[in-house]
Amino acid sequence: MTTPDLTFVLGGARSGKSRYAEQLALARASSPAQPVTYIATALDAGDDEFAARIAHHRARRPAHWRIVEAGAELAQAIADADDGRTCILVDCLTLWLANVICPAGAEPTERNERNEPAPDDCAARMDALEAALARARSPVIVVSNEIGMGVVPMGAMTRRYVDELGRLNQRVAALAREVTMMVAGLPMTVKGERAR
């Protein structure tokens, strides 16, 4: 199996990860021969502050980029954009996973009557995402938050989210040729040629 042309950019809130990923995509798409498809995972602003964040991201993106809003079907959105020449930028896994675990308007069911995690399609969707990334012919840049460096959160649902995102980040990093950790706006190469 060949390694996909996958770059994974991680970082905390306001670490510069989205801007860095956008710069990578711009460098890839130096001509119309290699356009960019930006797959956005933030579908619902929810409040004025988050709406302002979305507007800030939109204003920063070049107008000629193709924008796809992906809900839970991120794997399908990647497959649909994957034509072998388009640079695909996914921003971000953090919001996508939140929407998968706790869809808008739905109450999460944390445990069943036997105190086991409630069944959902989170594992299947993560498997599908991993498969779509592994099959990609186009260069793909994926952005995610690194949220597992703090204290163990209170609440079973929050702990589950942190655990699932950590597992998902590990899976994507294992597939990626390049992994960059953003710290205070500075790219730190974790995996790839520059890490050697």
Side-chain angles (χ1 to χ4, degrees):
M1 182 176 120
T2 60
T3 304
D5 185 356
L6 174 61
T7 302
F8 192 33
V9 181
L10 290 159
R14 294 292 186 231
S15 63
K17 60 192 177 299
S18 292
R19 181 180 297 276
Y20 181 76
E22 290 162 5
Q23 291 169 349
L24 291 176
L26 278 170
R28 288 275 187 154
S30 56
S31 73
Q34 184 161 40
V36 174
T37 296
Y38 184 105
I39 301 178
T41 62
L43 301 180
D44 183 20
D47 59 45
D48 290 343
E49 186 275 335
F50 200 68
R53 285 175 181 255
I54 292 171
H56 175 73
H57 277 254
R58 284 182 180 148
R60 199 171 59 208
R61 291 192 298 254
H64 64 277
W65 283 9
R66 179 174 171 249
I67 308 301
V68 174
E69 292 186 343
E73 303 300 330
L74 179 56
Q76 188 61 53
I78 291 169
D80 291 346
D82 184 22
D83 61 6
R85 65 182 186 88
T86 299
C87 179
I88 301 168
L89 172 54
V90 177
D91 195 359
C92 70
L93 294 185
T94 315
L95 294 171
W96 172 75
L97 184 63
N99 289 327
V100 168
I101 290 177
C102 189
E107 288 295 321
T109 305
E110 296 180 16
R111 297 289 188 181
N112 64 18
E113 62 278 353
R114 294 188 311 211
N115 202 29
E116 298 168 333
D120 61 33
D121 64 351
C122 182
R125 290 192 186 279
M126 290 197 309
D127 290 346
L129 174 60
E130 183 177 16
L133 292 172
R135 285 190 306 265
R137 297 167 297 139
S138 296
V140 181
I141 302 165
V142 177
V143 178
S144 187
N145 283 68
E146 176 53 69
I147 64 171
M149 299 173 100
V151 298
V152 176
M154 296 182 70
M157 183 53 76
T158 306
R159 285 191 298 276
R160 176 185 176 213
Y161 175 75
V162 170
D163 289 348
E164 294 292 354
L165 184 60
R167 289 183 191 105
L168 179 58
N169 285 346
Q170 289 181 47
R171 291 170 76 168
V172 175
L175 277 177
R177 284 186 185 172
E178 299 273 337
V179 177
T180 300
M181 179 74 166
M182 295 300 295
V183 178
L186 301 174
M188 312 291 287
T189 302
V190 177
K191 179 182 178 183
E193 291 298 318
R194 290 173 290 194
R196 296 186 183 142

